[in-house]
């Protein structure tokens, strides 16, 4: 999978916000920055802004806690209408409901100076598969069928041999064979890394993209399960996405402890995932797991 090519960015933000840390974060990733502050005196602001919004690879919108800028929202509307990728930065304590379900919009809860969280989100976008035109049909993930047999056997062998890397490889092969929209291994930054990040169009409105996946060889007890789930939850929150999937080789059952786990983490044994994917797509398995976790339905 070729990574997304992000070379130019337009920042839309209220005039009183210091954008220097954000510009530095973008420059560190070789992304050129445009915003109204860089326009020359005498330039038509609306004309130049509209031109950039139609042609840049990425548009970052900054919302403030005190007020929502009408001009920022206007520019974001132009960007979305032109099928631009949007990164929306919303203050963590702002009483705003971000548009989680809009295609092409990644929401991160952070201040404009929260360079680690915003950098994490940028790394997601740069690792993501190229966006399809809105007129193209999305890819559909498929079940594994009889190929699940060999994967289940390989997973069992990795678990019995205490081979964590081997178990990750099995999960990676299952994801690749499922025809997902995009897969990145060892995703994102060192402080909030997941084993995989996957993009599935069918899950965009309920689970969100990307879905972070962490694979653990062995969770010895409920305490270790909760600790692993909390760590994945922190990575999910830092990334600005919505859910993570924790897979394990050996471990305690989750039915009795699911209520004590973070709300944004789904948990399943690796073997059970592979068994389920024999006859169902990855998207279907995750969607039903999410419904059980959130609503107690989809059993």
């Amino acid at each position: 999978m070729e990574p997304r090519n992000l070379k130019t960015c337009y920042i839309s933000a209220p005039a009183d916000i210091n954008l220097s840390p954000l510009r530095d974060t973008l420059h560190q990733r070789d992304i050129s920055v445009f915003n109204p502050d860089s326009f020359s005196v005498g330039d038509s602001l609306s004309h130049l802004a509209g031109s950039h919004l139609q042609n840049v690879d990425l548009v970052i919108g900054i919302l403030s806690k005190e007020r929502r800028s009408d001009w920022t929202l206007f520019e974001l509307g132009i960007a979305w209408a032109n099928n631009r990728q949007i990164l929306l930065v919303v203050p963590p304590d702002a009483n705003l409901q971000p548009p989680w379900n809009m295609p092409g919009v990644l929401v991160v809860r952070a201040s404009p100076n929260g360079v680690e969280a915003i950098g994490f989100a940028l790394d997601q976008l740069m690792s993501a598969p190229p966006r399809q035109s809105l007129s193209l049909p999305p890819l559909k993930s498929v079940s594994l069928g009889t190929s699940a047999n060999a994967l289940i056997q390989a997973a069992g062998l990795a678990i019995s041999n205490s081979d964590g890397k081997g178990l990750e490889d099995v999960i990676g092969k299952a994801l690749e064979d499922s025809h997902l929209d995009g897969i990145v291994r060892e995703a994102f930054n060192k402080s909030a890394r997941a084993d995989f990040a996957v993009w599935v169009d069918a899950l965009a409105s309920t689970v969100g993209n990307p879905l972070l996946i962490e694979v653990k060889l062995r969770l010895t007890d409920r305490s270790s399960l909760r600790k692993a789930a909390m760590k994945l939850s922190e990575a999910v929150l830092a990334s600005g996405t919505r859910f993570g999937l924790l897979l394990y080789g050996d471990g305690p059952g989750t039915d009795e402890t699911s209520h004590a786990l973070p709300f944004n983490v789904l948990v399943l044994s690796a073997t059970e995932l592979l068994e389920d994917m024999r006859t169902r797509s990855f998207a279907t398995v995750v969607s039903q797991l999410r419904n059980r976790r959130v609503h107690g339905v989809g059993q």
Side-chain angles (χ1 to χ4, degrees), residues 120 168 184-198 210-216 231-233 235-236 239 241 243-245:
F120 195 2
E168 286 183 27
V184 173
R185 189 161 184 175
E186 294 186 348
F188 315 136
N189 65 22
K190 294 181 180 180
S191 63
R193 175 170 291 176
D195 292 321
F196 299 93
V198 299
L211 171 67
L212 303 189
I213 302 177
E214 182 72 12
V215 182
K216 294 295 185 183
K231 184 175 180 181
L232 179 56
S233 175
V236 169
S239 73
T241 190
F243 280 94
L245 175 61

Side-chain angles (χ1 to χ4, degrees), residues 20-296:
S20 296
L22 177 56
R23 286 197 188 97
D24 291 341
T25 299
L26 290 163
H27 289 152
Q28 289 169 7
R29 291 163 174 79
D30 297 321
I31 300 176
S32 299
V33 179
F34 301 95
N35 74 295
D37 289 346
S38 64
F39 298 161
S40 301
V41 176
D43 289 339
S44 170
L45 181 61
S46 59
H47 174 74
L48 286 175
S51 176
H52 283 304
L53 287 166
Q54 293 177 49
N55 294 289
V56 294
D57 302 315
L58 172 67
V59 175
I60 298 180
I62 308 293
L63 300 184
S64 63
K65 181 175 65 173
E66 294 78 14
R67 59 187 176 87
R68 299 174 68 179
S69 168
D70 291 340
W71 181 253
T72 295
L73 295 177
F74 173 74
E75 290 185 322
L76 292 176
I78 295 175
W80 191 81
N82 282 278
N83 199 30
R84 299 298 91 189
Q85 174 64 58
I86 296 173
L87 174 59
L88 185 60
V89 180
V90 181
D93 53 352
N95 187 26
L96 303 173
Q97 181 59 46
W100 295 107
N101 299 340
M102 290 180 66
V105 179
L106 177 62
V107 180
V108 57
R109 287 279 192 178
S111 71
N113 295 328
V115 293
E116 182 175 359
I118 295 175
F120 195 2
L122 287 170
D123 292 340
Q124 284 187 60
L125 293 174
M126 296 177 74
S127 301
R131 292 187 64 210
Q132 291 183 313
S133 167
L134 294 178
S135 63
L136 295 177
L139 298 175
K140 292 185 178 180
S141 62
V142 299
S143 63
L144 295 175
T146 56
S147 65
N149 297 333
L151 292 172
I152 292 170
Q153 183 177 6
L157 184 62
I159 294 169
S160 63
N161 290 337
S162 297
D163 182 3
K165 173 67 163 50
L167 183 59
E168 286 183 27
D169 290 342
V170 172
I171 297 300
K173 183 66 166 61
L175 296 173
E176 291 172 2
D177 291 350
S178 298
H179 298 176
L180 307 183
D181 296 278
I183 306 169
V184 173
R185 189 161 184 175
E186 294 186 348
F188 315 136
N189 65 22
K190 294 181 180 180
S191 63
R193 175 170 291 176
D195 292 321
F196 299 93
V198 299
W199 285 258
V200 187
D201 188 81
L203 296 175
S205 64
T206 55
V207 175
N209 281 316
L211 171 67
L212 303 189
I213 302 177
E214 182 72 12
V215 182
K216 294 295 185 183
L217 176 65
R218 188 166 287 108
L219 299 172
T220 56
D221 52 29
R222 293 176 183 176
S223 176
S224 61
L225 169 62
R226 178 168 173 75
K227 182 177 180 180
M230 289 297 295
K231 184 175 180 181
L232 179 56
S233 175
E234 291 172 1
V236 169
L237 293 173
S239 73
T241 190
R242 297 170 66 185
F243 280 94
L245 175 61
L246 176 61
L247 301 174
Y248 61 90
D250 280 335
T254 60
D255 290 343
E256 298 180 5
T257 57
S258 60
H259 66 280
L261 298 178
F263 72 95
N264 57 355
V265 173
L266 310 174
V267 182
L268 194 65
S269 76
T271 302
E272 187 175 358
L273 173 68
L274 297 172
E275 288 280 6
D276 287 346
M277 289 176 64
R278 188 197 302 274
T279 56
R280 293 183 287 168
S281 70
F282 177 79
T284 299
V285 174
V286 172
S287 180
Q288 293 180 348
L289 188 62
R290 179 261 181 194
N291 288 342
R292 290 200 302 267
R293 183 77 179 90
V294 175
H295 302 297

